[in-house]
Amino acid sequence: MIIASNFKTNHTRKSTREFVEQVEAFVNESNSTVEARIYPTSTALDKFVTDKSIKVGAQNFYPTQNGSFTGEVGFEQLQEFDVDSVLIGHSERRHVLKESSELIVNKYNFAKDQGVEIVYCVGEPKEVREAGLDAVMSYVWEQFDGIDLNYDRLVVAYEPVWAIGTGLTASNDDIKEVLKRLRDKINKPLLYGGSVKVDNVGDILDIENCDGVLVGTASWKAEAFIQMIKAAQNIK
Ligand code: PGA
């Protein structure tokens, strides 16, 4: 089970460190086998001393080691903090920051060459969901164009755009159907994301083929994130 927290544009260096330390203390104490992932802002990355089951990863990077890309962070800068997991294709990067499919594929291939874990995010906007499951799947499969599904460190996060940060969660049946169809072609961990909260995480983790969750808003307090790790521990 993977329980991941995407900080987005929240927390400072200080509060990020406190968060990581609190989660680490819990994981150590409870002998948890849950894989925790924390994606802070790039300014808060650091060489955190972490348990093997916790990774502090990057929300974003530019597909280069270094170079002239004003305002961007390359891999050389991530490696300084031993970053071993990255998010790619998050809906806010696709839709708000207007990242093209071409850039996303470049980022994927670059990260793959570096050998890091890639949490690759896909998901449909509201109008596609309203058109039904087949429309959702053809939209989602298109987001896999050029993406190597056999990369051994691939994790896929299904995150319907209309459910992200809105308080609206996809129904368990909808999540189940999409994960089932993804599972037909993808033999990698499958996460769900989109308004996951402490009180629905257990039911979501119970869905067939669900190997974890990627959480934004409801995970930004360490206590809540720890509750979600606990919920994952209880799933058989
Ligand atoms: P949310 O965000 O939990 O706030 O909906 C999820 C995500 O963006 O990964």
Side-chain angles (χ1 to χ4, degrees):
M1 281 283 171
I2 297 176
I3 304 295
S5 174
N6 174 8
F7 278 16
K8 308 193 181 189
T9 319
N10 298 284
H11 279 298
T12 59
R13 287 184 68 73
K14 183 170 180 281
S15 64
T16 298
R17 175 168 288 281
E18 285 162 3
F19 185 108
V20 174
E21 283 171 0
Q22 230 174 303
V23 171
E24 192 179 11
F26 167 75
V27 167
N28 284 339
E29 238 168 65
S30 64
N31 263 326
S32 171
T33 55
V34 173
E35 306 258 327
R37 302 280 181 270
I38 300 164
Y39 300 90
T41 64
S42 52
T43 56
L45 285 171
D46 212 334
K47 266 202 177 172
F48 298 107
V49 181
T50 56
D51 184 280
K52 276 204 291 301
S53 62
I54 302 174
K55 283 190 200 304
V56 178
Q59 292 176 27
N60 189 36
F61 63 94
Y62 197 72
T64 186
Q65 286 294 349
N66 49 41
S68 298
F69 304 97
T70 301
E72 294 293 328
V73 171
F75 247 80
E76 189 180 278
Q77 288 84 42
L78 297 187
Q79 275 157 350
E80 197 177 359
F81 303 118
D82 298 334
V83 165
D84 185 42
S85 180
V86 294
L87 300 182
I88 298 180
H90 189 278
S91 87
E92 283 148 18
R93 298 224 52 95
R94 291 180 192 267
H95 300 286
V96 184
L97 285 311
K98 308 286 182 223
E99 252 179 39
S100 66
S101 310
E102 195 191 351
L103 176 59
I104 291 170
V105 168
N106 285 342
K107 289 169 82 170
Y108 189 90
N109 290 334
F110 194 89
K112 193 179 115 178
D113 287 346
Q114 305 306 309
V116 295
E117 176 181 82
I118 299 173
V119 178
Y120 184 68
C121 308
V122 295
E124 81 289 353
K126 191 156 176 270
E127 63 278 10
V128 175
R129 163 54 66 186
E130 283 165 357
L133 181 63
D134 287 342
V136 169
M137 292 319 296
S138 55
Y139 187 95
V140 165
W141 286 126
E142 233 172 79
Q143 294 180 316
F144 284 107
D145 275 357
I147 298 298
D148 174 10
L149 295 178
N150 294 319
Y151 177 49
D152 61 342
R153 301 199 66 202
L154 166 63
V155 174
V156 170
Y158 168 58
E159 301 202 299
V161 178
W162 51 271
I164 295 180
T166 57
L168 300 171
T169 316
S171 75
N172 290 356
D173 283 347
D174 288 346
I175 299 172
K176 185 174 166 188
E177 282 305 317
V178 174
L179 294 184
K180 186 162 168 274
R181 298 235 197 156
L182 290 174
R183 176 62 76 224
D184 286 343
K185 295 193 195 166
I186 305 176
N187 186 22
K188 305 289 170 193
L190 301 177
L191 315 185
Y192 168 77
S195 297
V196 175
K197 305 173 194 78
V198 171
D199 53 12
N200 65 13
V201 69
D203 288 343
I204 292 171
L205 292 172
D206 239 349
I207 295 171
E208 206 182 334
N209 294 313
C210 184
D211 303 305
V213 286
L214 175 57
V215 194
T217 320
S219 68
W220 297 335
K221 287 203 166 71
E223 299 75 20
F225 188 60
I226 288 168
Q227 288 302 318
M228 293 182 195
I229 296 175
K230 282 187 189 160
Q233 284 172 332
N234 294 331
I235 305 287
K236 292 284 164 278

